[in-house]
Amino acid sequence: MSWQPVERNLRRAMRAFSLASEGGEARDMPGVTLVSSGVDYSVFNSAMLSSPAPDSDGGLDRRAAVAAVHFSMRRIGWSFWLCEDLLDPSTRRRASDILARCNLRRLTEAPGMLAEALEPPLRPLPWLDYRRVADDRTRGEFCHVTATAFHLPFAIGQAIYGSERFWQGDYRGWIGYRDSQPIATAATLAAGGAIGLYSVATLPEHRRQGCAEAIARHALAQASAESGEGPYVLQSTPAGYALYEQMGYRTAGHFTIYVAH
């Protein structure tokens, strides 16, 4: 099934946030993976289904309740990254109501996408100077771009992406520079039989110039050289969907993000 490498890669990517601080942890409970970053910010503390959730074993209800207790005991914000392809049709229709009982509200859809190979660019891409995240300076610059682009509090971004521990895992981060200034980022993670693309961001004043596509292609090329060819997978934002389709990605899974409130 085309959604499976997308789901496996995302679950591995979320586990990486457990490395950000000494207080981080990742736990595999029956049917659900729980990841705490040690930072009180919902998107960096997550629950994800790790197997199908049929009604016959309590399904989504039981697993959401386990996650709610886990994060409540730690008194941190959290999110549920729901792969709807792991649900039967009846549970899928009721998912929002089930998760609402655990004080989770629907935040956004993040369609899973997969490309067996990338299509060539439709236009010349801008030249950028690329550097891999490897030291205090590049960690800080990666944090600056992603925090600005995703409206993330800088202190939170610094606690995650500024952490040397975080980058000792499977993430590979890249920064694109123009006139020696960091303007774009992308990261990859090779796991679950696929290469995942994450943290594609461009500073607002440099958007609509091809910078996001340029650094995404660079990051994917480096990941392919290091770990082998794709398929390539990602979860798209609404803003990025058309670009990823242009690059050769197609919808391959249905993911919805819920956050505790």
Side-chain angles (χ1 to χ4, degrees):
M1 297 182 187
S2 61
W3 59 267
Q4 290 180 328
V6 185
E7 187 276 332
R8 289 194 300 263
N9 192 274
L10 176 62
R11 193 148 35 92
R12 181 69 170 271
M14 299 307 287
R15 292 181 76 95
F17 292 114
S18 68
L19 303 175
S21 72
E22 292 184 1
E25 63 175 334
R27 290 192 177 189
D28 292 308
M29 307 292 282
V32 63
T33 295
L34 306 172
V35 176
S36 305
S37 66
V39 178
D40 186 10
Y41 201 76
S42 60
V43 296
F44 297 124
N45 305 304
S46 64
M48 286 191 69
L49 298 177
S50 55
S51 63
D55 276 339
S56 59
D57 74 343
L60 183 59
D61 307 65
R62 178 181 59 79
R63 301 183 202 187
V66 167
V69 170
H70 174 87
F71 291 109
S72 176
M73 291 177 63
R74 286 153 182 79
R75 298 184 179 181
I76 54 176
W78 64 289
S79 52
F80 203 116
W81 294 61
L82 180 63
C83 177
E84 296 183 8
D85 301 278
L86 287 165
L87 304 177
D88 59 73
S90 174
T91 304
R92 186 182 295 192
R93 288 192 297 269
R94 297 183 294 111
S96 291
D97 292 336
I98 293 170
L99 296 179
R101 292 198 287 270
C102 292
N103 294 318
L104 289 160
R105 64 174 176 84
R106 184 178 179 277
L107 179 64
T108 188
E109 292 184 1
M113 304 186 78
L114 180 147
E116 294 291 347
L118 298 183
E119 297 290 340
L122 295 181
R123 58 175 174 169
L125 297 177
W127 183 90
L128 299 176
D129 178 26
Y130 301 107
R131 301 177 201 171
R132 183 166 158 177
V133 175
D135 53 24
D136 284 343
R137 176 180 175 180
T138 49
R139 287 192 293 271
E141 291 171 334
F142 189 96
C143 176
H144 165 67
V145 174
T146 54
T148 302
F150 295 126
H151 307 289
L152 181 69
F154 185 81
I156 298 296
Q158 185 66 21
I160 301 294
Y161 299 117
S163 166
E164 183 177 2
R165 293 168 54 96
F166 175 78
W167 296 104
Q168 291 173 350
D170 297 323
Y171 259 81
R172 301 290 182 265
W174 291 90
I175 305 166
Y177 297 79
R178 175 178 283 167
D179 298 328
S180 300
Q181 298 301 309
I183 66 165
T185 62
T188 58
L189 184 144
I195 297 173
L197 179 65
Y198 299 95
S199 299
V200 178
T202 306
L203 292 180
E205 60 270 29
H206 295 278
R207 291 174 183 166
R208 302 185 182 280
Q209 301 171 27
C211 297
E213 181 176 357
I215 194 166
R217 288 181 179 277
H218 175 83
L220 292 170
Q222 296 299 313
S224 294
E226 182 176 327
S227 60
E229 291 296 323
Y232 305 105
V233 298
L234 56 82
Q235 281 71 43
S236 178
T237 63
Y241 192 86
L243 167 61
Y244 297 132
E245 274 199 319
Q246 179 180 300
M247 290 176 64
Y249 288 87
R250 297 294 179 263
T251 299
H254 301 85
F255 295 81
T256 305
I257 304 171
Y258 294 80
V259 295
H261 61 94

